[in-house]
């Protein structure tokens, strides 16, 4: 199947404004969390009001771009996620579906307070009931076999455990907040179909577009940093040997299955 993978260097809002209304089936993105990370050309230490305006402006364009049955997934840290929730539901009238917690086993260490071990992902849809969700594409093997279970596997739930893409991993790029490919794989498999258009307006290291390349989705990635654009172009040209992370539950065999 032919697919179009388009990389755009530019400001997210300005470039999104050039795209046709209701043209994107799925938006999945990991925007800056306003935690003073070094993204090269983007200021990640805005005031509260500046960050709210920044978030509101790109979300407004995102909602415009979604098809009537489209979905949006937004990665966010704990400091601002509740504000984004209110924007999506109250201001932009999208429909809440899931609050996903990505649990990872290693992270920042703290000596006063509890060390953070998760990020969150908000999942909203344009329509309350009409949207793509391919549960059979993302099921995980049951822990125990029971006759009432779906033999294709279980719903993975809203707590996902994937390791970070560690700095020593061969797939690690020079980006401060690179996410593991399996996160995007699950989202893209669940909420889009082959040939659909996926958009990541904060492309970063190019994880979303790399996963779309392997899953036969069309994808547009936008980033303001030309170094990240070059990084992603190189990443797309590299041989593919499998995603850089996996849900360990995918490897299990249901207990009791051998007794059938």
């Amino acid at each position: 199947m032919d697919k179009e993978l388009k990389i755009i260097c530019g400001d997210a809002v300005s470039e999104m404004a050039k795209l046709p209304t209701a043209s994107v089936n799925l938006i999945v993105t990991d925007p800056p969390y306003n935690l003073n990370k070094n993204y090269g050309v983007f200021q990640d230490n805005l005031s509260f009001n500046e960050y709210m305006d920044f978030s509101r402006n790109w979300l407004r364009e995102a909602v415009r771009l979604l098809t009537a049955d489209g979905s949006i997934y937004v990665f966010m840290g704990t400091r601002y996620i509740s504000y984004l929730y209110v924007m999506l539901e109250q201001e932009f009238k999208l429909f809440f579906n899931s609050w996903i917690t990505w649990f990872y086993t290693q992270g920042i260490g703290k000596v006063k307070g509890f060390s953070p071990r998760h990020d969150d992902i908000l999942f909203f849809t344009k329509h309350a009931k009409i949207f793509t969700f391919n549960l059979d594409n993302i099921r995980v093997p049951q822990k125990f076999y029971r006759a009432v279970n779906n033999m294709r596997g279980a719903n993975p739930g809203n707590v996902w455990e994937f390791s970070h893409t560690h700095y020593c991993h061969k797939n690690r790029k020079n980006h401060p907040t690179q996410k593991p490919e399996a996160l995007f794989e699950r989202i893209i498999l669940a909420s889009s179909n082959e040939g659909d258009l996926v958009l990541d307006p904060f492309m970063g290291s190019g994880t979303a577009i790399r996963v779309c390349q392997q899953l036969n989705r069309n994808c547009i990635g936008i980033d303001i940093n030309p170094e990240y654009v070059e990084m992603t172009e190189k990443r797309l040209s590299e041989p593919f040997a499998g995603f850089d992370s996996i849900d360990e539950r995918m490897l299990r065999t249901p207990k009791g299955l051998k007794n059938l």
Side-chain angles (χ1 to χ4, degrees):
M1 174 184 292
D2 292 335
K3 56 184 174 292
E4 181 179 5
L5 304 173
K6 186 176 183 180
I7 300 172
I8 300 172
C9 185
D11 171 74
V13 176
S14 299
E15 297 301 330
M16 291 167 76
K18 300 174 184 178
L19 301 177
T21 298
S23 60
V24 176
N25 303 99
L26 171 64
I27 295 173
V28 52
T29 194
D30 179 28
Y33 291 4
N34 205 34
L35 296 178
N36 200 30
K37 295 285 186 179
N38 181 12
Y39 292 108
V41 298
F42 177 81
Q43 184 180 2
D44 191 42
N45 58 347
L46 304 175
S47 69
F48 175 82
N49 288 333
E50 288 172 334
Y51 188 71
M52 290 299 98
D53 288 342
F54 162 77
S55 300
R56 185 173 287 110
N57 288 339
W58 80 259
L59 285 172
R60 182 179 296 111
E61 283 300 319
V63 173
R64 179 186 68 83
L65 291 175
L66 280 179
T67 57
D69 60 351
S71 301
I72 181 171
Y73 290 74
V74 183
F75 288 73
M76 185 49 56
T78 54
R79 183 174 298 177
Y80 292 98
I81 193 167
S82 59
Y83 298 104
L84 264 66
Y85 185 106
V86 172
M87 284 185 193
L88 288 164
E89 185 177 64
Q90 299 299 318
E91 292 188 36
F92 298 115
K93 307 303 180 184
L94 296 188
F95 295 91
F96 171 72
N97 184 285
S98 301
W99 186 312
I100 300 160
T101 296
W102 167 37
F103 166 68
Y104 42 82
T105 55
Q106 296 181 351
I108 299 172
K110 295 178 69 174
V111 295
K112 288 190 175 181
F114 299 101
S115 297
R117 291 293 180 268
H118 79 279
D119 278 5
D120 294 293
I121 310 167
L122 292 177
F123 169 23
F124 278 78
T125 61
K126 195 75 171 284
H127 191 280
K129 296 181 179 179
I130 303 173
F131 56 91
T132 298
F133 193 75
N134 303 310
L135 177 57
D136 286 344
N137 291 351
I138 58 168
R139 290 183 183 274
V140 298
Q142 304 278 1
K143 186 174 183 180
F144 296 95
Y145 170 75
R146 297 181 181 90
V148 296
N149 287 350
N150 189 317
M151 288 303 295
R152 295 181 181 177
N155 187 310
N158 64 355
V159 178
W160 301 352
E161 182 175 352
F162 297 103
S163 66
H164 277 296
T165 308
H166 297 291
Y167 286 95
C168 60
H169 195 287
K170 63 181 181 180
N171 198 40
R172 181 73 194 199
K173 309 302 178 185
N174 186 24
H175 189 277
T177 61
Q178 181 175 340
K179 298 298 187 291
E181 292 170 341
L183 283 171
F184 285 82
E185 179 196 19
R186 180 169 287 168
I187 291 168
I188 292 167
L189 283 174
S191 292
S192 69
N193 298 308
E194 289 194 4
D196 280 354
L197 178 59
V198 179
L199 169 66
D200 183 354
F202 300 97
M203 180 179 65
S205 64
T207 300
I209 197 167
R210 176 61 159 170
V211 172
C212 284
Q213 181 188 44
Q214 306 309 316
L215 299 181
N216 290 319
R217 271 66 170 176
N218 301 309
C219 187
I220 298 174
I222 303 171
D223 205 281
I224 198 170
N225 189 334
E227 292 184 4
Y228 295 161
V229 168
E230 183 179 354
M231 178 193 304
T232 299
E233 290 173 342
K234 181 180 179 182
R235 185 175 182 179
L236 293 180
S237 68
E238 294 171 351
F240 180 73
F243 292 125
D244 59 21
S245 52
I246 188 173
D247 184 334
E248 294 297 327
R249 294 176 297 174
M250 299 301 294
L251 303 176
R252 69 190 182 193
T253 300
K255 295 180 181 178
L257 189 60
K258 62 183 179 181
N259 297 325
L260 291 180

